[in-house]
Amino acid sequence: MTIKKAVIPAAGFGTRFLPASKAVPKELLPIVDKPTIQYIAEEAIDTGITQVILVTGREKGSIEDHFDISFELEHHLRSKGKNDLLKIVQEISEMVQIVSIRQKMPLGLGHAILCAKQIVGDHPFAVLLADDIVDATPPCLRQMIDVYNKLGKGIILAIKEVPREEVYQYGIIDGELIEDRLYTVNSLIEKPSVEESPSNLAVIGRYLLPPEIFEVLEGLPPGKGGEIQLTDAIARLGETYPVYGYRFRGERFDAGDKMGFFIANVKFGLKHPELGPRISEFILKTAEEIQKGYETH
Ligand code: UTP
């Protein structure tokens, strides 16, 4: 059975992005001219997902509004003859079937996924983190589902190599390469120290999970940081269920982190059809000024 439902958890506090994320969900901060979460929803749609389940929380209602019809705005744009903008706005609300559910307290990513249990039902499903953008063709999730369809079963985690000194920021796998880009995962550890880390292969924000994960999440105690960790649930289910890591093709940006967000803006800005040439010119000019500054000091 192939995967048609995707959960996008977006109920976290976003503490790494304060103060910007105090009243505005970090998932709505724009990468050039589109909110981060729209890139994520587009990846799901381009992959062939037919139902997106948003997990939102307090102060996050604007995320639902972003994907809803905005009658007043559409009326205003229509009456002003701004048809290009009208089309952009309408396309967002017509994208895909979006269902949303609230996580009443942000108790951790694992808990956020558990909130989607009833809507997901008894099917394998995808999870895309709302602040993790992957620039890839075909989309990262499509690559993963292609692998899943070949294997027919299993948990699949998107993985990438990270510098050894950064392993403490990620879930890290202990795995063996079995074919091009595909690893079997023997164990998983959330945010290990450099010394205890079994590899430098980090799990990033794309997962394919079976419905059995919900049962594990229901009985799971809080883990690192006092949060109900998805990594812990995967590690536990992995004792009886095959887990694979797939080293996807593409570039990943952590848009929930200030520096990752800035880099994503530069990279997507350079590719933007209208703004790209001006952004490139601006960067080159700024780099020249920085260089001159170094030379005169
Ligand atoms: P993060 O690890 O980025 O956590 O979550 P966070 O709490 O949002 O941000 P920081 O670390 O405090 O800066 C990854 C994704 O999971 C969601 C977040 O909204 C984000 O999209 N999430 C996290 C939830 O939906 N609920 C939670 O309890 C935690």
Side-chain angles (χ1 to χ4, degrees):
M1 188 193 309
T2 193
I3 292 173
K4 288 288 174 194
K5 294 189 182 197
V7 178
I8 305 184
F13 278 127
T15 52
R16 287 172 298 153
F17 227 121
L18 286 168
S21 53
K22 187 180 170 211
V24 178
K26 65 172 173 181
E27 296 83 3
L28 284 184
L29 296 175
I31 305 293
V32 192
D33 54 2
K34 258 194 301 190
T36 303
I37 197 165
Q38 194 177 325
Y39 288 84
I40 311 300
E42 285 174 357
E43 177 180 333
I45 294 156
D46 292 345
T47 294
I49 294 294
T50 53
Q51 187 182 56
V52 167
I53 302 156
L54 287 178
V55 183
T56 66
R58 267 179 64 74
E59 313 289 347
K60 299 267 186 166
S62 47
I63 297 180
E64 288 151 23
D65 293 344
H66 180 73
F67 291 103
D68 201 357
I69 291 174
S70 173
F71 179 76
E72 301 87 337
L73 178 61
E74 288 183 23
H75 175 74
H76 172 77
L77 294 173
R78 200 174 289 114
S79 67
K80 297 278 175 202
K82 295 185 175 172
N83 294 326
D84 290 355
L85 290 175
L86 179 64
K87 189 164 166 274
I88 291 173
V89 166
Q90 285 175 330
E91 272 170 7
I92 300 167
S93 56
E94 287 164 4
M95 270 183 173
V96 68
Q97 189 197 5
I98 297 196
V99 179
S100 81
I101 180 107
R102 304 262 290 207
Q103 183 189 19
K104 294 197 175 117
M105 281 284 288
L107 300 178
L109 175 59
H111 180 260
I113 303 305
L114 183 56
C115 294
K117 178 182 170 185
Q118 301 301 334
I119 309 176
V120 168
D122 199 19
H123 305 284
F125 63 102
V127 171
L128 299 96
L129 298 194
D131 54 359
D132 236 350
I133 297 182
V134 181
D135 186 19
T137 313
C140 176
L141 193 65
R142 179 73 262 159
Q143 297 175 40
M144 292 170 72
I145 292 182
D146 287 345
V147 171
Y148 175 86
N149 288 343
K150 261 195 246 158
L151 294 167
K153 190 182 174 187
I155 294 172
I156 302 196
L157 314 172
I159 54 171
K160 67 169 271 203
E161 283 177 340
V162 296
R164 190 102 205 156
E165 61 278 14
E166 290 176 15
V167 290
Y168 70 92
Q169 299 172 21
Y170 298 90
I172 299 289
I173 70 156
D174 174 13
E176 273 160 48
L177 186 68
I178 50 167
E179 58 180 79
D180 185 33
R181 295 179 173 270
L182 188 64
Y183 294 75
T184 48
V185 176
N186 303 323
S187 63
L188 256 181
I189 173 164
E190 181 65 26
K191 301 190 172 66
S193 65
V194 174
E195 297 73 36
E196 67 183 336
S197 188
S199 75
N200 68 337
L201 292 169
V203 178
I204 68 105
R206 303 287 181 276
Y207 309 79
L208 302 183
L209 300 169
E212 287 83 349
I213 197 77
F214 293 121
E215 227 171 276
V216 179
L217 282 167
E218 272 163 346
L220 201 68
K224 274 253 157 88
E227 296 192 354
I228 299 183
Q229 297 284 358
L230 182 61
T231 312
D232 294 346
I234 294 170
R236 194 171 284 190
L237 184 57
E239 289 166 13
T240 54
Y241 207 89
V243 185
Y244 301 93
Y246 176 67
R247 202 163 56 74
F248 62 94
R249 289 190 174 82
E251 193 174 4
R252 176 256 183 182
F253 303 93
D254 181 2
D257 164 80
K258 289 175 188 173
M259 193 61 200
F261 176 82
F262 176 76
I263 294 171
N265 266 289
V266 172
K267 290 281 182 110
F268 281 92
L270 287 169
K271 285 191 189 188
H272 191 280
E274 285 154 42
L275 301 174
R278 279 158 62 199
I279 292 175
S280 160
E281 202 179 303
F282 172 74
I283 291 174
L284 290 171
K285 195 164 154 266
T286 308
E288 234 172 72
E289 283 165 13
I290 294 171
Q291 189 63 36
K292 271 190 207 141
Y294 282 141
E295 284 163 10
T296 51
H297 279 98

